Amino acid sequence: MKKLVVGNWKMHGSRASNGELLQGLIDANLAQSAPNADVAVCVPFVYLADVASKLSGQSIAFGSQDVSAHKQGAYTGEVAGSMIREFGAKFAIVGHSERRSYHGESSQLVADKAKAALAEGLTPIVCVGETLAQREANQTEAVVAEQLQAVIAALGAQLADIVVAYEPVWAIGTGKTASPEQAQAVHAFLRAQLVGALPAAARVPLLYGGSVKPDNAAELFAQADIDGGLIGGASLKAADFVAIARAAA
Ligand code: 13P
């Protein structure tokens, strides 16, 4: 199966720098030079139109970093899945740890957002992951199981149509990557939870995120249950992001 390599730009960029970054990805001719990776970038809402136009006719998909749980209505500041989809986006990240911690998003809200995304034809990339304190207290499996369980309960048969990203909070932006063995162990656990809930969910891609760089990507992607990566900092440099996509063997 092809790996899925997704950049999460977070709150970085400008119209000018985004254009340069995307041009770098286009020039790398990823369809030929990284044939074993499907590649996407998840961008701030306000740049969806620019990104859609720049990536028109290219093999690089794109998405948002969040989506409202609501279809439409009086929800000031929120962005509906239908609006994101209207630009041709394929993905919507939901439940990133930065939203869970800085915006108080509960597992139930994240599950509602995943459902709202699917209802509009977007593929939700559902993020789960434990903090360092939780890992040290041996709560990793309990934490990610609780986060995933809400999604399992909300989605039913649509569980097979999502992407899951395991992002240990202690590895995000810290330069501290989970070892391939640590990541694989959690991925195997997540896979078992998904399959236990719905056999067809065996096909759900499981991405690893947290300080993925060109020099550690190949080793992570070589693990049996790591189907790709969700890349933060290294997705902001075309050369690094391209190297990570090419690490998918
Ligand atoms: P970094 O790759 O910068 O650690 O960020 C990971 C992440 O949060 C992607 O969503």
Side-chain angles (χ1 to χ4, degrees):
M1 198 169 78
K2 268 194 179 189
K3 301 289 183 192
L4 176 60
V5 177
V6 180
N8 174 9
W9 290 358
K10 307 193 179 182
M11 198 174 73
H12 291 288
S14 66
R15 298 182 77 179
S17 70
N18 298 342
E20 285 169 29
L21 174 54
L22 292 175
Q23 192 57 51
L25 303 186
I26 292 166
D27 291 345
N29 200 359
L30 294 169
Q32 261 90 56
S33 68
N36 297 315
D38 287 321
V39 175
V41 291
C42 288
V43 309
F45 293 126
V46 290
Y47 296 134
L48 282 169
D50 279 357
V51 170
S53 123
K54 186 86 185 168
L55 292 180
S56 162
Q58 301 292 332
S59 62
I60 303 166
F62 61 95
S64 63
Q65 300 170 10
D66 188 22
V67 60
S68 177
H70 304 287
K71 208 172 161 56
Q72 68 159 48
Y75 300 104
T76 302
E78 298 254 298
V79 179
S82 61
M83 300 172 184
I84 299 162
R85 184 71 197 131
E86 203 177 357
F87 288 96
K90 181 170 164 76
F91 296 105
I93 295 173
V94 298
H96 192 282
S97 63
E98 288 151 17
R99 295 212 59 88
R100 291 181 193 260
S101 68
Y102 307 148
H103 300 272
E105 293 195 7
S106 65
S107 295
Q108 184 58 54
L109 178 62
V110 172
D112 291 344
K113 288 183 170 192
K115 195 170 171 150
L118 284 163
E120 299 298 343
L122 293 165
T123 299
I125 300 176
V126 179
C127 301
V128 301
E130 82 288 1
T131 63
L132 185 58
Q134 290 166 333
R135 173 163 284 265
E136 286 175 346
N138 284 319
Q139 291 168 346
T140 298
E141 290 191 353
V143 169
V144 298
E146 183 274 334
Q147 292 169 334
L148 191 61
Q149 194 49 50
V151 175
I152 289 171
L155 297 191
Q158 283 190 299
L159 185 66
D161 302 326
I162 69 171
V163 173
V164 172
Y166 168 57
E167 298 207 315
V169 177
W170 49 271
I172 295 176
T174 58
K176 250 180 150 183
T177 320
S179 69
E181 296 73 26
Q182 282 175 320
Q184 166 57 27
V186 179
H187 280 230
F189 175 76
L190 291 169
R191 182 91 68 203
Q193 299 285 304
L194 287 163
V195 174
L198 182 77
R203 69 163 187 255
V204 168
L206 300 181
L207 313 184
Y208 168 78
S211 299
V212 178
K213 307 285 179 216
D215 63 1
N216 60 23
E219 209 184 357
L220 287 160
F221 294 167
Q223 303 301 309
D225 291 294
I226 299 185
D227 303 316
L230 185 54
I231 321 300
S235 74
L236 300 173
K237 289 191 204 129
D240 284 1
F241 192 55
V242 165
I244 291 169
R246 289 177 181 161

